[in-house]
């Protein structure tokens, strides 16, 4: 793996030299190895951009990407020191690990923003045809989640809060993996789900499901994913964490400019889409992936700013549901000193 | 009822085991079959009992079976073949259960055969709790329970020690004397043959033929272990067998 | 009388005991050793976690696990989770082991079944049943059907193999005996083959049911809100080690109970072995 990463970096160095980026002198210093946990999702695009464009290298990191199937094992890997940084939704598991002093949230990433594509609530075709056309009709239906305490579980709770029904009236189906939920929704084994636009758009376009609500309607300031690292790095290696956030922020800026605000030109869009696509959807044609990126990309907070109020709401909900101990505090979970908070 | 073997031959694959056997087991008598090991005497018994079919020739039953007979040709096996999970009574009942009998008839038969074989006090015992001799008594009781026309006994005493064997021989003589039965009795033990056989058929080594049939006229109940007449017959049988036995002993087992 | 006195009287000093060489190779029974190992291990982890030698990230204190278990009992959550699991395990293994015994008998008794089914069973045996779970969801639905089917399928193949092995091992002498008494075929199967094969079938069931418990967790990965497996998976997702271990303890106890149940069945049905 290490040799492969080095080879890629050598290639990158060549590309970098051809452009005007002045990172060679920095790279000449001993590079710090850094394991970055990633998922093959479009919401992880800034990671890939910063990696491929050498932003991490410029900060003196020799990054190795560590791929995960789901957010939960990534959180455990960061707690165990097998990965240094990760970006994922706040889950019960992450909070538990934070309570045990293993991990810290140091920044915000994916967020709901009015006017920008956001997460949507879907109904299966069968359920839609038999009357599940609005989120208010969810009671008595099944709803897919990966596991209890996942972001999907939280989203359902926000819908319930917004529509004023008891979450217990909806039957949750834990299916462990996003792919399984997609299959279950498409075949009508479950009635409903809430998911990011990159996946929902595909399901809607293929006629596999129907949209019944926007998540931003229920959770307008929802901080969907956060940047987190091990407590050891957050507490004792601030410089490293700051350097990492700086590099990732540049990836975020490129991503927002290209796909969210669309201030970048078409050439830049295509280049970034190709760069992300090789990790996220290598089997999807470049044009189609570009279209997915430009039409379904959610906002990632500028400079990885963190909505503490949203995180607090999520934390309170976990505690109220008894999924994490009641004595977990915000301070255990978040270190707000790295990024702008709001 | 007689059982008659006519020109029967038998082979396993290409290996001839029995050759042109002609033999009659007369009703109410015990016919002993002796021969060197591997001569096919047990095979002949299985042919007579219908557990195997002869390659050529015929096995015939002559005459009517006794009244109340449930299983004409009934085996007593060398290793008893008792169901280990059934009690002594259960083992006897096992061979009666599929016959149309009233429960009272069944109980009567069971009580009768257990009494005749001296097992009345052991009806509830498991086979593993019994000595070898007692186990063979159970097997004999089971065989008697179906009122057989012919008892086919395959070395029934060979798995027992010599004292037990002596006692069981007396038992068999007693059983026959009180109610004579027809039996074909396979053994390699000449002392058994002269004690129990009304006639002794001597077989040659493989492929087995009937070499000679020796009749013994002394009534069973009057035969004693040290009877000089019986010793003479036994010596004669041994002289008939000796050379065959030596040759059989030198044969390769799967030759 | 034969004179058995030795030809030459050795001196008393030459006498020495015959060295004993027959020991070992006969593990005996000891009720307490198992318990002592168990208690020592628990004490070790309790002290280790309390003093911080063992990080709270790697292992919960056993006492905390015990408290979690007690809370499960108090709140009724235990039955809420155990009920569906027991139903799935019972239904799945009933169907799987039942069909397995029938097929095992067919293979053991009929040439055609043996020729036709042995290759099939050999082909099915090594399939990781967990990999088929998504397929089962499509076939049997996301509800109880797929879970029961997974456990049934998982317990089926080992039961078949154990059963036909046991039927093959039935004492042919006893069958010959029954035939010689004119006992009908079906009665030979039920009164001779079945009892003789029972020991082998029961020890096969021991393995099958253990596999069933393993598959219970896998089955509850998909769409189960309640169940011991779902409870363990949820605890893992929440990184709640106390609940995770509590669930594991429940599964272990379930395994012990199943094993003890089969042991009792063996003692009862195989009483004749003494």
């Amino acid at each position: 793996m290490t040799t492969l990463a080095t080879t890629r970096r050598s290639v990158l160095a060549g590309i970098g030299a051809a452009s005007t980026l002045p990172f060679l002198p920095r790279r000449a210093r001993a590079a710090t190895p850094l394991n970055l946990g990633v998922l093959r999702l479009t919401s992880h695009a800034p990671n890939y951009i910063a990696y491929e464009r050498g932003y991490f290298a410029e900060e003196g990191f020799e990054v190795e990407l560590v791929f995960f199937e789901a957010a939960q094992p990534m959180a455990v890997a960061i707690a165990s020191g097998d990965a240094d940084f990760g970006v994922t939704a706040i889950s019960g598991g992450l909070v538990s690990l934070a309570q045990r002093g293993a991990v810290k949230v140091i920044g915000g990433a994916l967020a709901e923003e009015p006017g920008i594509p956001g997460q949507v609530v879907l109904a299966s075709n069968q359920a839609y045809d038999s009357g599940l056309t609005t989120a208010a009709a969810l009671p008595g239906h099944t709803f897919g989640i990966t596991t209890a305490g996942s972001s999907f579980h939280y989203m359902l709770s926000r819908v319930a809060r917004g529509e004023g029904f008891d979450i217990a009236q909806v039957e949750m189906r834990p299916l462990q993996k996003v792919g399984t939920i997609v299959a279950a929704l498409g075949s009508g084994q479950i009635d409903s789900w809430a998911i990011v636009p990159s996946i929902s758009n595909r399901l809607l376009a293929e006629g596999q499901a129907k949209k019944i609500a926007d998540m931003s309607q229920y959770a307008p300031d929802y901080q969907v994913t956060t940047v987190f690292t091990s407590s050891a790095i957050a507490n004792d290696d601030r410089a490293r964490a700051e350097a990492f956030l700086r590099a990732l922020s540049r990836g975020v800026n490129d991503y927002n400019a290209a796909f969210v605000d669309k201030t970048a030109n078409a050439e830049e869009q295509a280049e970034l889409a190709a760069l992300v696509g090789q990790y996220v959807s290598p089997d999807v044609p470049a044009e189609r992936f570009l279209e997915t990126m430009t039409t379904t990309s959610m906002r990632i907070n500028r400079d990885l700013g963190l909505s503490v109020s949203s995180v607090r709401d999520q934390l309170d909900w976990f505690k109220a549901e008894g999924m994490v101990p009641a004595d977990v505090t915000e301070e255990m979970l978040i270190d707000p000193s790295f990024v702008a908070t709001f | 009822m007689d059982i008659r073997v006519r020109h029967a031959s038998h082979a396993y694959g290409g290996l001839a085991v029995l050759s042109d056997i002609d033999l009659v087991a007369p009703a109410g008598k015990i016919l002993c079959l002796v021969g060197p090991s591997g001569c096919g005497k047990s095979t002949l018994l299985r042919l007579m009992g219908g557990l195997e079919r002869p390659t050529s020739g015929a096995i015939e039953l002559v005459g009517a079976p006794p009244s109340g007979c449930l299983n004409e040709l009934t085996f007593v096996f060398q290793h008893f073949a008792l169901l280990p999970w059934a009690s002594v009574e259960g083992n006897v009942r096992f061979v009666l259960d599929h016959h149309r009998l009233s429960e009272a008839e069944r109980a009567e038969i069971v009580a009768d055969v257990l009494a005749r074989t001296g097992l009345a006090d052991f009806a509830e015992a498991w086979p593993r709790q019994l000595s070898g001799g007692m186990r063979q008594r159970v097997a004999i009781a089971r065989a008697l329970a179906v009122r057989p026309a012919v008892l086919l006994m395959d070395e029934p005493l060979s798995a027992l020690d010599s004292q037990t064997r002596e006692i069981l021989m007396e038992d068999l003589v007693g059983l026959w004397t009180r109610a004579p039965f027809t039996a074909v009795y396979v053994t390699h033990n000449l002392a058994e043959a002269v004690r129990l056989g009304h006639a002794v058929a001597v077989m040659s080594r493989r492929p087995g033929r009937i070499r000679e049939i020796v009749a013994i006229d002394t009534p069973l109940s009057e035969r004693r272990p040290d009877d000089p007449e019986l010793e003479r017959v036994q010596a004669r049988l041994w002289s008939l067998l000796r050379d065959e036995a030596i040759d059989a002993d030198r044969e390769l087992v799967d030759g | 009388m034969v004179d058995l006195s030795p030809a030459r009287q050795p001196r008393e000093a030459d006498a020495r005991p015959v060295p004993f060489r027959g020991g070992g190779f006969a593990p005996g029974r000891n009720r307490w050793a198992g318990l002592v190992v168990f208690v020592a291990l628990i004490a070790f982890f309790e002290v280790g976690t309390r003093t911080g030698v063992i990080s709270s990230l790697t292992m919960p204190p056993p006492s905390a696990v015990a408290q979690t278990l007690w809370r499960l009992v108090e709140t009724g959550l235990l039955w809420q989770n155990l009920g569906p699991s027991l139903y799935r395990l019972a239904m799945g293994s009933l169907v799987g082991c039942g069909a397995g015994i029938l097929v095992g008998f067919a293979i053991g008794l009929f040439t055609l079944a043996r020729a036709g089914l042995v290759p099939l069973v050999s082909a099915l045996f090594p399939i990781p049943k967990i990999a088929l779970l998504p397929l089962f969801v499509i076939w049997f639905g996301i509800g109880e059907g797929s879970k029961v089917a997974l456990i049934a399928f998982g317990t089926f193949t080992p039961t078949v193999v154990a059963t036909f092995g046991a039927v093959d091992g039935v004492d042919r002498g006893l069958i010959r005996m029954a035939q010689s008494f004119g006992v009908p075929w079906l009665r030979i199967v039920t009164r001779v083959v079945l009892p003789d094969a029972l020991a082998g079938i029961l020890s096969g069931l021991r393995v099958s049911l253990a596999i069933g418990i393993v598959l219970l967790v896998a089955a509850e990965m998909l769409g189960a809100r309640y169940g011991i497996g779902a409870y363990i998976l949820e605890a893992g997702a929440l990184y709640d080690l106390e609940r995770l271990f509590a669930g594991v303890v429940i599964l272990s106890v379930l395994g012990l109970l199943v094993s003890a149940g089969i042991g009792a069945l063996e003692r009862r049905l195989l009483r004749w072995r003494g």
Side-chain angles (χ1 to χ4, degrees), chain C residues 195-226:
Chain C
D196 208 9
L198 203 57
I201 294 174
L202 283 175
S203 70
L205 281 189
R206 224 179 249 281
V207 175
S208 299
L209 289 177
I211 291 174
I213 293 175
V214 171
L215 288 176
L216 186 62
V217 179
E220 291 179 351
M221 271 168 53
L222 283 192
R225 187 85 179 89
Y226 294 107

mmCIF file of all heavy atoms in Angstrom, chain C residues 195-226:
data_model
loop_
_atom_site.group_PDB
_atom_site.id
_atom_site.type_symbol
_atom_site.label_atom_id
_atom_site.label_comp_id
_atom_site.label_asym_id
_atom_site.label_seq_id
_atom_site.Cartn_x
_atom_site.Cartn_y
_atom_site.Cartn_z
ATOM 1 N N PRO C 195 -33.595 -45.697 16.517
ATOM 2 C CA PRO C 195 -32.934 -45.704 17.834
ATOM 3 C C PRO C 195 -31.420 -45.871 17.745
ATOM 4 O O PRO C 195 -30.689 -45.257 18.508
ATOM 5 C CB PRO C 195 -33.557 -46.907 18.549
ATOM 6 C CG PRO C 195 -34.739 -47.299 17.766
ATOM 7 C CD PRO C 195 -34.585 -46.764 16.392
ATOM 8 N N ASP C 196 -30.955 -46.671 16.795
ATOM 9 C CA ASP C 196 -29.515 -46.897 16.706
ATOM 10 C C ASP C 196 -28.809 -45.651 16.189
ATOM 11 O O ASP C 196 -27.681 -45.363 16.572
ATOM 12 C CB ASP C 196 -29.221 -48.093 15.787
ATOM 13 C CG ASP C 196 -27.915 -48.779 16.163
ATOM 14 O OD1 ASP C 196 -27.359 -48.430 17.220
ATOM 15 O OD2 ASP C 196 -27.467 -49.652 15.413
ATOM 16 N N ALA C 197 -29.496 -44.885 15.314
ATOM 17 C CA ALA C 197 -28.872 -43.695 14.743
ATOM 18 C C ALA C 197 -29.015 -42.492 15.671
ATOM 19 O O ALA C 197 -28.385 -41.461 15.449
ATOM 20 C CB ALA C 197 -29.514 -43.380 13.386
ATOM 21 N N LEU C 198 -29.838 -42.630 16.700
ATOM 22 C CA LEU C 198 -30.205 -41.484 17.522
ATOM 23 C C LEU C 198 -28.994 -40.790 18.151
ATOM 24 O O LEU C 198 -28.927 -39.557 18.180
ATOM 25 C CB LEU C 198 -31.176 -41.934 18.621
ATOM 26 C CG LEU C 198 -32.052 -40.834 19.197
ATOM 27 C CD1 LEU C 198 -32.858 -40.162 18.108
ATOM 28 C CD2 LEU C 198 -32.977 -41.403 20.259
ATOM 29 N N ALA C 199 -28.041 -41.572 18.635
ATOM 30 C CA ALA C 199 -26.873 -40.970 19.286
ATOM 31 C C ALA C 199 -26.145 -40.053 18.303
ATOM 32 O O ALA C 199 -25.805 -38.914 18.636
ATOM 33 C CB ALA C 199 -25.937 -42.063 19.793
ATOM 34 N N GLY C 200 -25.949 -40.544 17.091
ATOM 35 C CA GLY C 200 -25.269 -39.740 16.076
ATOM 36 C C GLY C 200 -26.076 -38.520 15.684
ATOM 37 O O GLY C 200 -25.532 -37.431 15.479
ATOM 38 N N ILE C 201 -27.393 -38.695 15.582
ATOM 39 C CA ILE C 201 -28.250 -37.568 15.208
ATOM 40 C C ILE C 201 -28.199 -36.495 16.290
ATOM 41 O O ILE C 201 -28.076 -35.302 16.000
ATOM 42 C CB ILE C 201 -29.695 -38.046 14.985
ATOM 43 C CG1 ILE C 201 -29.748 -38.976 13.764
ATOM 44 C CG2 ILE C 201 -30.628 -36.865 14.777
ATOM 45 C CD1 ILE C 201 -31.095 -39.627 13.543
ATOM 46 N N LEU C 202 -28.255 -36.918 17.540
ATOM 47 C CA LEU C 202 -28.253 -35.942 18.629
ATOM 48 C C LEU C 202 -26.937 -35.176 18.695
ATOM 49 O O LEU C 202 -26.928 -33.968 18.909
ATOM 50 C CB LEU C 202 -28.522 -36.635 19.968
ATOM 51 C CG LEU C 202 -29.984 -37.012 20.219
ATOM 52 C CD1 LEU C 202 -30.125 -37.795 21.508
ATOM 53 C CD2 LEU C 202 -30.857 -35.764 20.270
ATOM 54 N N SER C 203 -25.820 -35.866 18.470
ATOM 55 C CA SER C 203 -24.566 -35.112 18.520
ATOM 56 C C SER C 203 -24.459 -34.215 17.294
ATOM 57 O O SER C 203 -23.846 -33.154 17.356
ATOM 58 C CB SER C 203 -23.358 -36.030 18.685
ATOM 59 O OG SER C 203 -23.158 -36.765 17.513
ATOM 60 N N GLY C 204 -25.103 -34.600 16.193
ATOM 61 C CA GLY C 204 -25.193 -33.697 15.045
ATOM 62 C C GLY C 204 -26.032 -32.472 15.371
ATOM 63 O O GLY C 204 -25.700 -31.354 14.993
ATOM 64 N N LEU C 205 -27.124 -32.682 16.117
ATOM 65 C CA LEU C 205 -27.997 -31.571 16.494
ATOM 66 C C LEU C 205 -27.250 -30.562 17.366
ATOM 67 O O LEU C 205 -27.484 -29.366 17.277
ATOM 68 C CB LEU C 205 -29.215 -32.087 17.264
ATOM 69 C CG LEU C 205 -30.325 -32.694 16.426
ATOM 70 C CD1 LEU C 205 -31.546 -32.960 17.293
ATOM 71 C CD2 LEU C 205 -30.707 -31.763 15.278
ATOM 72 N N ARG C 206 -26.374 -31.075 18.215
ATOM 73 C CA ARG C 206 -25.562 -30.192 19.055
ATOM 74 C C ARG C 206 -24.824 -29.177 18.186
ATOM 75 O O ARG C 206 -24.839 -27.982 18.460
ATOM 76 C CB ARG C 206 -24.536 -31.049 19.787
ATOM 77 C CG ARG C 206 -24.355 -30.739 21.227
ATOM 78 C CD ARG C 206 -23.316 -31.710 21.769
ATOM 79 N NE ARG C 206 -23.872 -32.671 22.688
ATOM 80 C CZ ARG C 206 -24.137 -32.390 23.954
ATOM 81 N NH1 ARG C 206 -23.902 -31.195 24.425
ATOM 82 N NH2 ARG C 206 -24.658 -33.291 24.747
ATOM 83 N N VAL C 207 -24.197 -29.681 17.134
ATOM 84 C CA VAL C 207 -23.452 -28.805 16.222
ATOM 85 C C VAL C 207 -24.414 -27.896 15.462
ATOM 86 O O VAL C 207 -24.212 -26.689 15.358
ATOM 87 C CB VAL C 207 -22.623 -29.656 15.222
ATOM 88 C CG1 VAL C 207 -21.943 -28.771 14.209
ATOM 89 C CG2 VAL C 207 -21.617 -30.510 15.978
ATOM 90 N N SER C 208 -25.502 -28.480 14.945
ATOM 91 C CA SER C 208 -26.445 -27.707 14.138
ATOM 92 C C SER C 208 -27.023 -26.544 14.929
ATOM 93 O O SER C 208 -27.133 -25.432 14.419
ATOM 94 C CB SER C 208 -27.583 -28.605 13.662
ATOM 95 O OG SER C 208 -27.075 -29.640 12.868
ATOM 96 N N LEU C 209 -27.399 -26.797 16.173
ATOM 97 C CA LEU C 209 -28.031 -25.739 16.955
ATOM 98 C C LEU C 209 -27.020 -24.648 17.315
ATOM 99 O O LEU C 209 -27.373 -23.469 17.363
ATOM 100 C CB LEU C 209 -28.672 -26.312 18.218
ATOM 101 C CG LEU C 209 -29.921 -27.158 17.920
ATOM 102 C CD1 LEU C 209 -30.479 -27.772 19.190
ATOM 103 C CD2 LEU C 209 -30.991 -26.313 17.237
ATOM 104 N N ALA C 210 -25.768 -25.031 17.534
ATOM 105 C CA ALA C 210 -24.743 -24.014 17.775
ATOM 106 C C ALA C 210 -24.599 -23.129 16.541
ATOM 107 O O ALA C 210 -24.507 -21.900 16.640
ATOM 108 C CB ALA C 210 -23.415 -24.671 18.132
ATOM 109 N N ILE C 211 -24.630 -23.758 15.368
ATOM 110 C CA ILE C 211 -24.575 -22.986 14.123
ATOM 111 C C ILE C 211 -25.809 -22.091 14.025
ATOM 112 O O ILE C 211 -25.733 -20.942 13.607
ATOM 113 C CB ILE C 211 -24.467 -23.934 12.907
ATOM 114 C CG1 ILE C 211 -23.100 -24.608 12.906
ATOM 115 C CG2 ILE C 211 -24.702 -23.186 11.606
ATOM 116 C CD1 ILE C 211 -22.930 -25.665 11.842
ATOM 117 N N GLY C 212 -26.951 -22.623 14.453
ATOM 118 C CA GLY C 212 -28.189 -21.839 14.443
ATOM 119 C C GLY C 212 -28.057 -20.579 15.272
ATOM 120 O O GLY C 212 -28.515 -19.505 14.863
ATOM 121 N N ILE C 213 -27.409 -20.683 16.425
ATOM 122 C CA ILE C 213 -27.242 -19.506 17.281
ATOM 123 C C ILE C 213 -26.309 -18.492 16.619
ATOM 124 O O ILE C 213 -26.550 -17.285 16.648
ATOM 125 C CB ILE C 213 -26.712 -19.926 18.672
ATOM 126 C CG1 ILE C 213 -27.775 -20.748 19.391
ATOM 127 C CG2 ILE C 213 -26.354 -18.703 19.503
ATOM 128 C CD1 ILE C 213 -27.333 -21.324 20.718
ATOM 129 N N VAL C 214 -25.244 -19.003 15.993
ATOM 130 C CA VAL C 214 -24.337 -18.100 15.267
ATOM 131 C C VAL C 214 -25.113 -17.360 14.172
ATOM 132 O O VAL C 214 -24.986 -16.141 14.004
ATOM 133 C CB VAL C 214 -23.172 -18.898 14.629
ATOM 134 C CG1 VAL C 214 -22.368 -18.014 13.701
ATOM 135 C CG2 VAL C 214 -22.273 -19.475 15.718
ATOM 136 N N LEU C 215 -25.960 -18.097 13.465
ATOM 137 C CA LEU C 215 -26.692 -17.486 12.357
ATOM 138 C C LEU C 215 -27.796 -16.548 12.844
ATOM 139 O O LEU C 215 -28.253 -15.692 12.092
ATOM 140 C CB LEU C 215 -27.291 -18.575 11.462
ATOM 141 C CG LEU C 215 -26.263 -19.313 10.615
ATOM 142 C CD1 LEU C 215 -26.914 -20.439 9.841
ATOM 143 C CD2 LEU C 215 -25.576 -18.365 9.654
ATOM 144 N N LEU C 216 -28.209 -16.736 14.084
ATOM 145 C CA LEU C 216 -29.231 -15.849 14.638
ATOM 146 C C LEU C 216 -28.763 -14.400 14.552
ATOM 147 O O LEU C 216 -29.515 -13.512 14.134
ATOM 148 C CB LEU C 216 -29.482 -16.245 16.101
ATOM 149 C CG LEU C 216 -30.607 -15.536 16.822
ATOM 150 C CD1 LEU C 216 -31.919 -15.817 16.135
ATOM 151 C CD2 LEU C 216 -30.665 -15.993 18.265
ATOM 152 N N VAL C 217 -27.520 -14.161 14.934
ATOM 153 C CA VAL C 217 -26.980 -12.799 14.895
ATOM 154 C C VAL C 217 -26.965 -12.306 13.448
ATOM 155 O O VAL C 217 -27.361 -11.177 13.154
ATOM 156 C CB VAL C 217 -25.573 -12.759 15.506
ATOM 157 C CG1 VAL C 217 -25.008 -11.352 15.429
ATOM 158 C CG2 VAL C 217 -25.612 -13.224 16.948
ATOM 159 N N ALA C 218 -26.528 -13.165 12.540
ATOM 160 C CA ALA C 218 -26.486 -12.776 11.135
ATOM 161 C C ALA C 218 -27.887 -12.490 10.612
ATOM 162 O O ALA C 218 -28.114 -11.501 9.916
ATOM 163 C CB ALA C 218 -25.833 -13.882 10.313
ATOM 164 N N ALA C 219 -28.842 -13.340 10.997
ATOM 165 C CA ALA C 219 -30.209 -13.176 10.499
ATOM 166 C C ALA C 219 -30.797 -11.859 10.968
ATOM 167 O O ALA C 219 -31.566 -11.216 10.254
ATOM 168 C CB ALA C 219 -31.072 -14.343 10.968
ATOM 169 N N GLU C 220 -30.418 -11.460 12.170
ATOM 170 C CA GLU C 220 -31.009 -10.239 12.723
ATOM 171 C C GLU C 220 -30.282 -8.989 12.265
ATOM 172 O O GLU C 220 -30.575 -7.891 12.714
ATOM 173 C CB GLU C 220 -31.055 -10.353 14.249
ATOM 174 C CG GLU C 220 -32.067 -11.420 14.674
ATOM 175 C CD GLU C 220 -32.149 -11.616 16.170
ATOM 176 O OE1 GLU C 220 -31.319 -11.064 16.897
ATOM 177 O OE2 GLU C 220 -33.070 -12.338 16.605
ATOM 178 N N MET C 221 -29.304 -9.161 11.356
ATOM 179 C CA MET C 221 -28.663 -7.989 10.764
ATOM 180 C C MET C 221 -29.641 -7.239 9.880
ATOM 181 O O MET C 221 -29.535 -6.044 9.689
ATOM 182 C CB MET C 221 -27.460 -8.420 9.917
ATOM 183 C CG MET C 221 -26.177 -8.491 10.712
ATOM 184 S SD MET C 221 -24.850 -9.303 9.820
ATOM 185 C CE MET C 221 -24.819 -8.403 8.303
ATOM 186 N N LEU C 222 -30.577 -7.962 9.294
ATOM 187 C CA LEU C 222 -31.468 -7.332 8.326
ATOM 188 C C LEU C 222 -32.872 -7.184 8.883
ATOM 189 O O LEU C 222 -33.602 -8.160 9.040
ATOM 190 C CB LEU C 222 -31.514 -8.136 7.025
ATOM 191 C CG LEU C 222 -30.299 -7.953 6.108
ATOM 192 C CD1 LEU C 222 -30.572 -8.542 4.747
ATOM 193 C CD2 LEU C 222 -29.929 -6.492 5.973
ATOM 194 N N GLY C 223 -33.204 -5.950 9.179
ATOM 195 C CA GLY C 223 -34.602 -5.628 9.442
ATOM 196 C C GLY C 223 -35.146 -6.078 10.764
ATOM 197 O O GLY C 223 -36.358 -6.123 10.930
ATOM 198 N N ALA C 224 -34.288 -6.436 11.730
ATOM 199 C CA ALA C 224 -34.821 -6.857 13.016
ATOM 200 C C ALA C 224 -34.733 -5.701 14.008
ATOM 201 O O ALA C 224 -33.655 -5.154 14.225
ATOM 202 C CB ALA C 224 -34.050 -8.050 13.553
ATOM 203 N N ARG C 225 -35.866 -5.342 14.564
ATOM 204 C CA ARG C 225 -35.870 -4.275 15.561
ATOM 205 C C ARG C 225 -35.504 -4.875 16.914
ATOM 206 O O ARG C 225 -34.798 -4.270 17.696
ATOM 207 C CB ARG C 225 -37.266 -3.641 15.602
ATOM 208 C CG ARG C 225 -37.379 -2.420 16.465
ATOM 209 C CD ARG C 225 -36.949 -1.161 15.702
ATOM 210 N NE ARG C 225 -37.095 0.005 16.554
ATOM 211 C CZ ARG C 225 -36.129 0.453 17.360
ATOM 212 N NH1 ARG C 225 -34.980 -0.164 17.407
ATOM 213 N NH2 ARG C 225 -36.309 1.525 18.107
ATOM 214 N N TYR C 226 -36.041 -6.066 17.181
ATOM 215 C CA TYR C 226 -35.756 -6.736 18.444
ATOM 216 C C TYR C 226 -35.159 -8.106 18.189
ATOM 217 O O TYR C 226 -35.380 -8.707 17.143
ATOM 218 C CB TYR C 226 -37.029 -6.860 19.286
ATOM 219 C CG TYR C 226 -37.552 -5.512 19.724
ATOM 220 C CD1 TYR C 226 -38.688 -4.967 19.147
ATOM 221 C CD2 TYR C 226 -36.872 -4.777 20.686
ATOM 222 C CE1 TYR C 226 -39.145 -3.710 19.530
ATOM 223 C CE2 TYR C 226 -37.312 -3.533 21.077
ATOM 224 C CZ TYR C 226 -38.455 -2.996 20.494
ATOM 225 O OH TYR C 226 -38.896 -1.764 20.872
#
